[in-house]
Amino acid sequence: MSTKQEIIQKMIHMQKQFIARERKSGVAQEDYFVPHSGDILDGYRETFDELATQLVDLAHEEKGSHR
């Protein structure tokens, strides 16, 4: 599996976890932006953003373009 596919799979897994959490108990803005330590949302935004940035960088590299 390519690096790009691995990143996409991680992002999909994270989204599925988030959706499951939201359906089970909802997600308050506080929980999303200032999650409790150890919560599934702890580091979620930062990690998802990092993965998305890596994916964009790989796409640019693949096409020979620049940000």
Side-chain angles (χ1 to χ4, degrees):
M1 184 180 308
S2 72
T3 302
K4 203 163 70 170
Q5 286 298 319
E6 288 176 18
I7 292 170
I8 291 167
Q9 290 301 316
K10 287 178 189 177
M11 292 174 76
I12 290 171
H13 178 72
M14 289 177 71
Q15 286 178 326
K16 286 181 178 181
Q17 286 182 316
F18 182 89
I19 291 167
R21 160 73 183 273
E22 183 179 34
R23 287 181 179 165
K24 181 180 177 185
S25 60
V27 176
Q29 285 184 347
E30 240 177 59
D31 296 335
Y32 183 75
F33 290 103
V34 189
H36 297 287
S37 181
D39 188 85
I40 192 172
L41 297 176
D42 188 19
Y44 177 88
R45 289 183 312 115
E46 296 82 4
T47 302
F48 199 87
D49 184 55
E50 182 180 305
L51 291 170
T53 300
Q54 288 176 19
L55 194 58
V56 168
D57 289 342
L58 286 170
H60 278 290
E61 184 180 307
E62 188 178 280
K63 293 296 179 183
S65 59
H66 303 281
R67 264 185 194 241

